[in-house]
Amino acid sequence: MSQLSGTGVLAELAVRTDRVRIPVWTVAVAGLTVLIASSYSTIYPTAESRQARAELISSPAATALAGPGYGLDDYTLGAMVANEIAGMTMVAVAIMSVLLVTRHLRTEEETGRAELVRAGVVGRYAGITAGLISAALANVFVALLLVIGLLAVGLPPAGSLNMSAGVLVVGLVFTSLSALASQLTEHARAASGAGICAVVVAYLLRAVGDVQQGHSGSLLTWVSPIGWSQATRAYVDERWWPLLIGVVAAALTVVCAYAAIGRRDVGAGLLPPRGGRAEASPRLTGVTALAARQQRGQILAWGVGVFALSLPIGSLGRQISDFIEQDPDLAQLLPGGAAAAADGAFALYLVFLVVMAAMYAVGAVVSIRSEESSGRAEEALATPVSRARWLGGQLLVIAAAAVAIAVAAGVGMGITAAFTLSDAGALGRLIGAALNTVPAVLVIVGSCAAVYGLIPRALPALWAFVGYVLVAGMFGEVLPDWFGILSPFHYTPALPAESFSAAPLVVLLLLAAALFLAAVAGFRRRDVGP
């Protein structure tokens, strides 16, 4: 029997199980990128308006947030898309790759299904190969849809291919890194946490490197997969050789992942779990404390990532005000209008950062499902722990962490905004604005919980819901009013640009409470198990 025996069947099974996830991720990532690119062609129709935008993007804060500003002397629509959108698209495909690979490799072993499959005529490397094929296909689909969408917007073919290839390479690099991380630890939660940490580190290295020396001249930029792809200078003077670095790195990492499989048992990781104490600390004797300990890696990874992103965003306040003064028509796209241009931009960016907190919540709720699939939930429920207490403890940790991540975004933006605007009150206003989003965050977490409690098979659809909330929140000013009626941010005052209103927040809190109750009621009535 070959080490790859059964790869075809397992690959077909992996793609079939991802038949919802892959289309959702593909449409959400590529579709959102193309939508933003299309909106840029409407918002910045003239060379003068794009050149005014280039002044904003040339600031160190914008460089840290988006990437090196290529082509700022003649700021075309293509250069605008590559400089301002491509970086975030790369982060999105990196997260997608981490979650898909971890699910196929580590979760399958954690639940025992991989061992059952290996009992048949299946080679040692069939499982990892099938998982890599599924994740690679998802990245290819994103790149293809991205090329088609960018061409439809009217951007040059060479630059569209170059940028899409860069996104594909970033996805493949993090696919391979996640495959290697899945060999190191025996828990899916730890593997996905390590993968998300790698994404955060790559983004921070790129940001610091580009600020130190622009146009990818810093060593820190060249140790980041995102830096490699952004160094292709899409839509300016395309070059392809930086992508070879990513291809070689992905290939070498995959080789290491394959080599690691032969050095460990099925279900175990290369790194042995640390031995615990003979008696648990009193702080770990409850369901909530245990859930907090299990979630701490993901909470830390998402929290650090969101806080790091919020710092350069807050420092853009002065540049945004100057930019709106040069082109007042753009103020109509911001909540609050020209009188509060910086606050309006902060309100939009805050929605973006808070949606990232919601993304953590979706991943965390999916991990509850993993606890159930692996049988650990049944073991816990066999003790004097009720279903309501078990699920309630998990949801309490997730909700508290999502709120903390959202508040961290307000703190990060407030600190840098206070310095750059010489306005100490900006810190308090942005923390208040972050707290203002808490009811909306709780509604999203409650929606995730309700889907888990009532129809857990529909959990993958939550990613589509989060993508919809992001689009409705970021582009609500230019989209039809009815588009955002299902988003909780549609009813949330856009602080700090708008006035505070308690009534809608109270309604959202009541809705969130109803969703949590529905989740617990549904979980108490359905069967527990895979």
Side-chain angles (χ1 to χ4, degrees), residues 243-303:
L243 299 181
L244 290 176
I245 303 174
V247 172
V248 172
L252 292 176
T253 309
V254 167
V255 170
C256 293
Y258 274 86
I261 290 178
R263 298 175 181 275
R264 67 176 181 85
D265 295 329
V266 176
L270 281 179
L271 301 177
R274 290 184 300 174
R277 298 177 180 175
E279 296 183 2
S281 165
R283 293 174 297 177
L284 291 177
T285 54
V287 175
T288 304
L290 179 60
R293 186 178 178 85
Q294 291 175 325
Q295 289 283 334
R296 63 182 179 180
Q298 291 190 56
I299 296 171
L300 184 63
W302 282 101

Side-chain angles (χ1 to χ4, degrees), residues 69-72 74 76 78-79 82-83 158-159 162 215 230-242:
Y70 293 115
L72 295 181
D74 180 18
T76 64
N83 285 332
N162 187 271
H215 293 185
Q230 287 190 325
T232 56
R233 301 174 180 171
Y235 297 109
V236 180
D237 55 341
E238 293 87 3
R239 54 184 185 180
W240 296 86
W241 63 264

